[in-house]
């Protein structure tokens, strides 16, 4: 399923980009949100939706956004699920499927609760670097957080997910959740991530492939797995990412990152119902983020155009929260809208779907 790569292959952290594929068996209604902060009139956000609250989940995390952000949301109406995005500090967050994720804690009363579909938004609102994200979720964090499970909007499937973050300082981390406990892999060399297996196993596999391609192997092999399975795609992304010339421009880095994840994508209308391909799904869209120049590109696999948003030009948007529906769902039919370049005039005023006032706690 999904693949994420972080292109930090330059010594001065000048041209840093992150790209990811979003894969799913069926098309998904999708909306891009732009959030502009106003610390004079801050909007308080909340970690739970009305559907989350019950006798066990009544201690929501709340926060104030410190940074502007562009966020890709699954859904065209509430409840939304924040999938990935970039903030005005150059931090990028990507959620990918993780079939081994488990969120429940037996001692949850001690923790502030955060819906997994609001995880990306919380991180982009409150953190400027990977180090800050790691500090939010390690065992010594000032506020201890419990991730609450949810269903993917418009689907009956559980949102079983893990988080990847990267920044403009060349840093990267992957955070998994096992039985409610955060397992953090923090290293600037952890640049590639797929759905399965666990990231610990992915590191082992990557070491094997890196040795195969290295000068330490007297009979080096450049054979690459060509299949659609996560471990195959991880190996392909690792090979190409580790055989790049250093970038000399942001345009080169963006093109490199996009081409690598496209190489690790799954074709549109791939037959994922075949019993030989469990958990393999078509690539719906690709996002590419420029950490240094604060650009976010959305590339729909079913259209020929790419949309981008420049966080340096958010004054072109009138409203504090704006939205653009890129994949609509009407009368049971998906509509993939054609957008090209900067489309600020296409964005519409929206309410913040994660604001406290958007929810009435029981």
């Amino acid at each position: 399923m999904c693949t994420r790569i972080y292109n930090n292959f330059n010594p001065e952290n000048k041209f840093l980009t992150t790209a990811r594929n979003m894969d799913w068996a069926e098309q998904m209604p999708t909306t891009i949100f732009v959030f502009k902060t106003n610390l004079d009139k801050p909007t308080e956000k909340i970690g739970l939706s009305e559907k989350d609250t019950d006798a066990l989940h009544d201690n929501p995390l709340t926060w104030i956004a410190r940074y502007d952000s562009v966020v890709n949301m699954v859904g065209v109406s509430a409840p939304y699920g924040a999938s990935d995005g970039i903030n005005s500090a150059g931090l990028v967050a990507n959620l990918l499927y993780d079939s081994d994720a488990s969120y429940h804690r037996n001692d949850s009363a001690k923790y502030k609760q955060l819906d997994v579909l609001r995880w990306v938004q919380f991180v982009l609102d409150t953190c400027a670097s990977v180090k800050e994200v790691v500090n939010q979720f390690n065992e010594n964090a000032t506020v201890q957080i419990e991730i609450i499970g949810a269903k993917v909007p418009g689907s009956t499937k559980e949102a079983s997910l893990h988080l990847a973050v990267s920044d403009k300082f060349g840093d990267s981390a992957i955070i998994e959740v096992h039985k409610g406990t955060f397992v953090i892999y923090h290293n600037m060399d952890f640049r590639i991530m797929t759905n399965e297996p666990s990231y610990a196993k992915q590191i082992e596999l990557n070491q094997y492939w890196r040795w195969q391609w290295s000068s330490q192997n007297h009979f080096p092999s450049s054979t690459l797995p060509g299949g659609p399975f996560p471990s195959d795609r991880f190996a392909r992304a690792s090979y190409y990412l580790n055989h790049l010339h250093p970038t000399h421009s942001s345009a080169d880095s963006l093109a490199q990152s996009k081409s690598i994840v496209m190489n690790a994508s799954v074709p549109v209308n791939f037959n994922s119902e075949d019993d030989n391909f469990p958990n393999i799904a078509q690539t719906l869209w690709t996002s590419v983020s420029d950490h240094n120049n604060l650009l976010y590109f959305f590339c729909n696999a079913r259209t020929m155009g790419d949309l981008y948003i420049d966080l340096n030009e958010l004054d072109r948007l009138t409203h504090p929260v704006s939205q653009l529906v890129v994949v609509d769902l009407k009368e049971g039919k998906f509509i993939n809208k054609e957008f090209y370049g900067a489309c600020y005039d296409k964005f519409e005023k929206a309410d913040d779907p994660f604001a406290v006032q958007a929810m009435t706690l029981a």
Side-chain angles (χ1 to χ4, degrees):
M1 294 184 69
C2 307
T3 306
R4 167 263 193 183
I5 66 105
Y6 176 40
N7 188 354
N8 62 350
F9 189 58
N10 64 80
E12 298 179 354
N13 296 334
K14 287 184 176 180
F15 313 118
L16 302 177
T17 55
T18 292
R20 68 82 60 94
N21 289 331
M22 175 64 177
D23 302 353
W24 201 250
E26 300 174 348
Q27 292 191 67
M28 284 183 169
T30 307
T31 306
I32 295 177
F33 273 79
V34 177
F35 300 92
K36 298 197 293 184
T37 57
N38 182 349
L39 296 180
D40 293 328
K41 296 181 180 179
T43 298
E44 186 177 23
K45 302 191 183 186
I46 191 165
L48 298 179
S49 69
E50 291 183 12
K51 291 184 177 181
D52 293 323
T53 57
D54 54 32
L56 295 177
H57 305 140
D58 60 358
N59 190 24
L61 178 70
T62 58
W63 69 91
I64 299 295
R66 297 165 51 200
Y67 306 100
D68 301 333
S69 62
V70 177
V71 181
N72 192 313
M73 301 275 195
V74 177
V76 291
S77 61
Y80 290 95
S83 176
D84 79 358
I86 182 173
N87 71 12
S88 52
L91 178 71
V92 172
N94 310 109
L95 277 179
L96 279 75
Y97 188 75
D98 177 13
S99 59
D100 294 326
S102 56
Y103 307 127
H104 178 68
R105 300 187 64 98
N106 293 327
D107 57 348
S108 61
K110 302 177 183 179
Y111 295 80
K112 292 291 185 179
Q113 294 157 343
L114 176 64
D115 186 315
V116 68
L117 297 175
R118 302 183 177 212
W119 196 0
V120 160
Q121 191 67 61
F122 169 70
V123 164
L124 294 178
D125 281 345
T126 62
C127 299
S129 67
V130 168
K131 183 177 180 180
E132 288 186 13
V133 177
V134 169
N135 289 340
Q136 289 274 19
F137 295 100
N138 66 28
E139 59 185 12
N140 298 317
T142 303
V143 177
Q144 292 292 314
I145 297 172
E146 177 189 19
I147 296 293
I148 301 299
K151 286 184 170 57
V152 176
S155 171
T156 59
K157 292 188 176 182
E158 294 293 326
S160 184
L161 305 166
H162 52 178
L163 178 74
V165 286
S166 46
D167 64 24
K168 64 181 181 182
F169 308 108
D171 204 1
S172 177
I174 287 85
I175 304 177
E176 298 180 338
V177 189
H178 298 162
K179 296 182 179 179
T181 300
F182 295 106
V183 181
I184 301 174
Y185 302 91
H186 182 196
N187 190 306
M188 65 181 297
D189 292 330
F190 295 163
R191 306 187 294 164
I192 305 161
M193 176 179 169
T194 55
N195 301 103
E196 299 170 343
S198 68
Y199 201 71
K201 184 62 66 176
Q202 289 185 33
I203 293 171
E204 291 181 24
L205 292 171
N206 194 40
Q207 289 173 337
Y208 164 79
W209 283 112
R210 293 285 296 275
W211 179 83
Q212 283 280 6
W213 306 322
S214 74
S215 59
Q216 298 174 17
N217 181 2
H218 298 298
F219 302 96
S221 170
S222 294
T223 301
L224 289 176
F229 299 101
S231 58
D232 298 337
R233 298 163 73 184
F234 188 100
R236 290 205 301 279
S238 178
Y239 178 83
Y240 288 115
L241 188 60
N242 286 286
H243 286 78
L244 296 176
H245 289 295
T247 52
H248 298 290
S249 70
S250 295
D252 275 351
S253 182
L254 287 165
Q256 284 180 344
S257 297
K258 182 181 178 182
S259 62
I260 290 171
V261 293
M262 295 296 284
N263 183 277
S265 65
V266 174
V268 169
N269 290 334
F270 181 80
N271 183 10
S272 58
E273 296 178 357
D274 190 319
D275 291 339
N276 294 318
F277 297 100
N279 296 325
I280 305 301
Q282 63 185 324
T283 297
L284 301 182
W285 49 261
T286 298
S287 67
V288 190
S289 300
D290 183 331
H291 295 269
N292 305 91
N293 296 305
L294 305 181
L295 299 171
Y296 180 86
F297 294 83
F298 175 81
C299 318
N300 188 338
R302 291 176 179 269
T303 68
M304 298 306 292
D306 296 345
L307 162 74
Y308 78 87
I309 300 100
D310 185 343
L311 272 78
N312 298 296
E313 297 185 355
L314 295 191
D315 57 353
R316 296 176 64 177
L317 296 172
T318 304
H319 308 291
V321 182
S322 303
Q323 68 175 19
L324 179 65
V325 175
V326 290
V327 183
D328 208 348
L329 178 61
K330 292 184 177 180
E331 299 179 354
K333 294 183 179 180
F334 288 98
I335 303 170
N336 291 271
K337 299 187 176 182
E338 296 274 358
F339 293 108
Y340 300 88
C343 299
Y344 301 104
D345 60 326
K346 305 295 184 183
F347 279 81
E348 298 179 349
K349 180 180 180 181
D351 295 322
D352 190 328
F354 301 150
V356 169
Q357 61 262 34
M359 171 185 171
T360 303
L361 286 170

